Amino acid sequence: MLINLTVLPGDGIGPEVTEQAVLVLQAVAESFGHQTQLQRKPIGGAALALTNDPLPAETIQACLCSGAVLLGAVGSPTFDHNPGHLRPEAGLLRVRRELGAYANLRPAVFFPALEDSSPLRPEIVRGTDIMIVRELLGGAYFGQPRSIEGASGSRVAVNTMRYSESEIERIARVAFELAMKRRRRVLSVDKANVLECSRLWREVVTRVGKEYAEVKLGHQYVDSAAMLLVQRPTDFDVVLTENMFGDILSDQAGGVVGSLGLLASASIGGSVGLYEPVHGSAPDIAGKGIANPLGAILSTAMLLRHSFQLEMEAAAIEGAVSAVLSEGARTTDLAGKTHKAISTAEMGDRVVMAVRTAARAIA
Ligand code: IPM
Ligand code: MN
């Protein structure tokens, strides 16, 4: 098979982690007899610096013509004072929209080797395996009108949270379909005691849920869900939620399983899938070679699974990550007091070696 990708390294630690992810992907492809074809394009602050556009036309064209898109991270303090449409993040939101990627899957799985890395007691976190299904193209992120207006000192800012029934319905279906392949539980997270958007959300999700009789559907307000996520993380299977709640809860889930640096994501549902680690550009550690590449590496596993239906190859990457963690490989974010930290590149190397070993075992 030909695995043709557009790689968008982006800002901060994005280029460092995607470099390792690409090396792992190439090792898997080689081991399983696939070809890879990659082109790199700028996005975010990197693109702003080159073209004054956080998503140049050439970048989006390349994405639309490839089998999948692998993204590093977007965001840079250099552009903090730019108007909204000239911030790096605008490039990310536009690429999601242009690709039609409305379903953002963010798994948060606890690796048994990481008992020392989670802030939670082992008996609480052990067995955690959550799939957050975050709606990615609606809500306050995209709702119109939005503005900051008025004279300095008396300005007023407006954002609009907006959801249509069809937007809620399509993301609900994604969650229920995933639940059917998992433990058959969906927890829909909203704020229906306050927000109209959430009341519609709950109604539509309940309606769609009737088509999935085998799936147990629950509803939880987002504040309460946030608390339960640290108290009883193993109770969660599929979490279905709107754009901003999903943004917040997925970072929290990263903390629960030990590090945000571990979390991968897939943004699917449109013409081309977009895969990115959940962590941001982390400007404070950019260029130091200490970032955790596992979120990016695990994103390539999701890419192989969801855009190329290469389940065995995806599992090989996930198995390799689990193996290197069991052997004690730790980047700074995971090392704590008990382990010596290795660099981004060393972690990438270790996964490459483990992937090759696993592939030989299967072959
Ligand atoms: C994420 C990020 C983005 C988001 C930012 C960088 C726009 O935090 O992917 O979670 O809020 O969606
Ligand atoms: Mn986020």
Side-chain angles (χ1 to χ4, degrees), residues 38-118:
L38 306 180
Q39 48 179 343
R40 289 183 173 72
K41 297 289 174 190
I43 191 170
L48 278 166
L50 287 169
T51 65
N52 204 35
D53 180 351
L55 185 69
E58 200 197 314
T59 296
I60 187 64
Q61 270 318 314
C63 292
L64 288 167
C65 295
S66 45
V69 179
L70 177 66
L71 185 138
V74 161
S76 158
T78 316
F79 306 99
D80 269 356
H81 301 291
N82 277 21
H85 69 287
L86 291 178
R87 288 180 59 106
E89 293 79 2
L92 180 57
L93 300 186
R94 270 172 53 205
V95 76
R96 289 171 177 172
R97 198 183 54 207
E98 301 265 351
L99 298 179
Y102 66 85
N104 183 215
L105 316 186
R106 298 188 157 188
V109 179
F110 178 67
F111 289 96
L114 293 184
E115 289 196 348
D116 292 340
S117 304
S118 172

Side-chain angles (χ1 to χ4, degrees), residues 92 96 104 106 134 141 243-244 246-251 260 277-280:
L92 180 57
R96 289 171 177 172
N104 183 215
R106 298 188 157 188
R134 169 189 178 194
Y141 275 62
N243 204 343
M244 189 153 47
D247 179 46
I248 298 166
L249 291 178
S250 55
D251 270 37
L260 189 53
V278 174
H279 65 68

Side-chain angles (χ1 to χ4, degrees), residues 91-259:
L92 180 57
L93 300 186
R94 270 172 53 205
V95 76
R96 289 171 177 172
R97 198 183 54 207
E98 301 265 351
L99 298 179
Y102 66 85
N104 183 215
L105 316 186
R106 298 188 157 188
V109 179
F110 178 67
F111 289 96
L114 293 184
E115 289 196 348
D116 292 340
S117 304
S118 172
L120 302 183
R121 290 198 304 280
E123 66 270 25
I124 302 282
V125 70
R126 216 177 276 146
T128 298
D129 179 357
I130 306 172
M131 175 64 85
I132 297 178
V133 178
R134 169 189 178 194
E135 199 292 325
L136 202 59
L137 296 182
Y141 275 62
F142 291 93
Q144 295 290 344
R146 56 189 299 160
S147 61
I148 304 181
E149 275 168 8
S152 178
S154 56
R155 286 172 301 168
V156 173
V158 172
N159 286 100
T160 304
M161 188 184 269
R162 181 189 177 281
Y163 270 105
S164 68
E165 293 197 47
S166 60
E167 285 172 312
I168 301 166
E169 189 171 329
R170 66 181 182 177
I171 191 69
R173 280 189 199 288
V174 171
F176 284 108
E177 290 292 334
L178 281 167
M180 291 293 288
K181 298 183 200 141
R182 296 173 49 99
R183 301 194 304 279
R184 301 194 171 185
R185 294 173 57 181
V186 170
L187 184 72
S188 176
V189 172
D190 62 36
K191 189 73 184 169
N193 50 347
V194 176
L195 301 174
E196 277 72 14
C197 279
S198 285
R199 289 203 265 274
L200 186 63
W201 181 276
R202 198 175 271 222
E203 198 187 304
V204 174
V205 169
T206 303
R207 189 171 74 213
V208 175
K210 295 219 181 351
E211 295 171 36
Y212 296 85
E214 299 99 319
V215 178
K216 187 170 174 294
L217 170 64
H219 302 275
Q220 200 85 45
Y221 298 140
V222 61
D223 47 355
S224 157
M227 182 194 65
L228 289 170
L229 190 55
V230 291
Q231 278 190 334
R232 297 206 301 266
T234 55
D235 280 3
F236 292 75
D237 180 17
V238 174
V239 173
L240 164 62
T241 193
E242 67 93 45
N243 204 343
M244 189 153 47
F245 298 161
D247 179 46
I248 298 166
L249 291 178
S250 55
D251 270 37
Q252 194 190 340
V256 166
V257 298
S259 172

